[in-house]
Amino acid sequence: MSKGQSGLGKSTLVNTLFKSQVSRKASSWNREEKIPKTVEIKAIGHVIEEGGVKMKLTVIDTPGFGDQINNENCWEPIEKYINEQYEKFLKEEVNIARKKRIPDTRVHCCLYFISPTGHSLRPLDLEFMKHLSKVVNIIPVIAKADTMTLEEKCEFKQRVRKELEVNGIEFYPQKEFDEDLEDKTENDKIRQESMPFAVVGSDKEYQVNGKRVLGRKTPWGIIEVENLNHCEFALLRDFVIRTHLQDLKEVTHNIHYETYRAKRLNDNGGLPPGEGLLGTVLPPVPATPCPTAE
């Protein structure tokens, strides 16, 4: 899922991330035209291929927020959408004759786009992330990072990390879920150096040194999206699609989904066998025998 205020290039970056028009599949739109504004939550299925391995991916494009005069509780539609996907999965899970493979529409990762102000996070960003971090893995991303100098970018990243820590906002990878020392060492480096990823998105190609590259043309040259000297797009792509893909899914299932599931079943608890969760027939729970003393 991509989330952030309007005009930060969420749809463009998602297209760049998967080297395809994944966030706009309308046949009426082509690469040369300007990407239309997102006006509703839209989930689009896509298959990406990496080294001969195919992976089905769903990209959830969301409308920008924060444009209204009253932005109170503007995170609620997103939180509701994420919880609805948990509910769908839970409903399938508690069925007596459940499917061998339950369709998984749960949101495993939310790229949260931060405006490159160079100052501090807006109160609305902090409030939004505070709510979303409880239900989904949040990866903070500084959008349009080419608008800042290297010094400004470094200082802004430090400031964002500090503000998230002071406000008790946990972004992925969360410290308490590091499984071993190797995980902790690797993730500490990501948390302290890479986060939030400062990226530039573009789905336009240019010729640089005889090669076609994705980039943004400026009066002083071309900013190459996949060049680590220009931005951290390549780091973000590897992080999401390669190194941490499985872990994102596991944290979603074992932490966020389990928290939702426990709460829902607890709210529904104490009912006799029969009509249960959202009209689902719940089977009686067998009594667990107490362990005998040796």
Side-chain angles (χ1 to χ4, degrees):
M1 176 182 272
S2 60
K3 194 69 214 148
Q5 74 180 88
S6 301
L8 289 181
K10 296 184 292 296
S11 303
T12 303
L13 189 95
V14 168
N15 285 344
T16 317
L17 203 55
F18 304 110
K19 292 189 178 175
S20 180
Q21 312 305 329
V22 293
S23 75
R24 287 293 182 283
K25 241 184 174 178
S27 55
S28 59
W29 184 75
N30 66 57
R31 193 181 278 270
E32 300 309 311
E33 293 172 7
K34 192 180 176 191
I35 294 180
K37 188 176 178 178
T38 309
V39 291
E40 60 184 350
I41 297 174
K42 202 173 182 184
I44 295 155
H46 191 75
V47 175
I48 60 172
E49 196 166 337
E50 183 80 17
V53 178
K54 287 186 178 178
M55 182 178 78
K56 192 171 179 227
L57 169 91
T58 303
V59 171
I60 303 148
D61 214 357
T62 61
F65 69 89
D67 301 338
Q68 294 77 24
I69 293 167
N70 180 9
N71 293 301
E72 196 178 353
N73 300 340
C74 60
W75 53 83
E76 283 180 355
I78 303 299
E79 200 172 357
K80 180 171 175 273
Y81 179 89
I82 292 167
N83 284 331
E84 277 169 359
Q85 308 319 306
Y86 292 148
E87 185 71 31
K88 268 190 209 171
F89 196 87
L90 178 56
K91 212 172 164 186
E92 288 285 352
E93 208 176 42
V94 297
N95 274 338
I96 295 170
R98 64 180 178 186
K99 299 168 185 166
K100 280 185 180 175
R101 282 181 69 87
I102 299 172
D104 192 358
T105 59
R106 295 172 297 180
V107 182
H108 299 109
C109 166
C110 173
L111 296 178
Y112 192 90
F113 286 69
I114 296 164
S115 181
T117 59
H119 301 296
S120 56
L121 289 168
R122 301 182 309 160
L124 191 56
D125 284 323
L126 291 168
E127 202 60 41
F128 216 108
M129 282 193 267
K130 201 174 281 185
H131 282 82
L132 285 194
S133 63
K134 291 171 187 165
V135 294
V136 71
N137 295 316
I138 282 197
I139 297 176
V141 170
I142 299 170
K144 300 188 174 181
D146 53 325
T147 59
M148 294 189 286
T149 65
L150 294 175
E151 291 79 13
E152 285 169 346
K153 185 173 75 178
C154 190
E155 283 172 22
F156 188 46
K157 285 176 78 154
Q158 286 173 357
R159 202 170 296 138
V160 168
R161 285 196 294 267
K162 186 73 182 163
E163 282 190 64
L164 292 176
E165 190 184 335
V166 167
N167 286 277
I169 297 164
E170 290 242 331
F171 55 82
Y172 179 86
Q174 300 90 334
K175 286 178 189 173
E176 67 263 39
F177 306 145
D178 293 338
E179 289 182 358
D180 51 40
L181 190 61
E182 191 182 334
D183 265 4
K184 187 181 182 314
T185 307
E186 184 191 340
N187 289 338
D188 273 347
K189 194 177 178 200
I190 291 165
R191 285 187 285 259
Q192 290 159 19
E193 294 175 20
S194 302
M195 290 285 181
F197 293 101
V199 298
V200 176
S202 172
D203 37 26
K204 287 195 167 61
E205 287 189 342
Y206 295 96
Q207 195 87 12
V208 177
N209 299 329
K211 283 197 303 186
R212 301 287 293 172
V213 296
L214 287 170
R216 279 167 62 84
K217 195 171 187 180
T218 67
W220 50 88
I222 289 167
I223 295 150
E224 297 170 44
V225 166
E226 297 182 76
N227 186 333
L228 279 173
N229 294 321
H230 294 192
C231 79
E232 294 165 349
F233 170 82
L235 290 178
L236 172 65
R237 186 190 55 210
D238 286 355
F239 182 72
V240 173
I241 303 176
R242 295 173 189 151
T243 59
H244 286 69
L245 174 70
Q246 190 56 36
D247 191 59
L248 280 163
K249 291 168 77 173
E250 284 171 12
V251 172
T252 299
H253 183 77
N254 298 331
I255 309 298
H256 297 302
Y257 171 66
E258 276 304 316
T259 304
Y260 179 85
R261 181 177 177 275
K263 185 178 181 302
R264 283 295 281 121
L265 294 180
N266 197 39
D267 292 348
N268 207 61
L271 293 176
E275 204 56 10
L277 190 72
L278 294 184
T280 306
V281 176
L282 293 174
V285 179
T288 308
C290 294
T292 52
E294 290 181 7

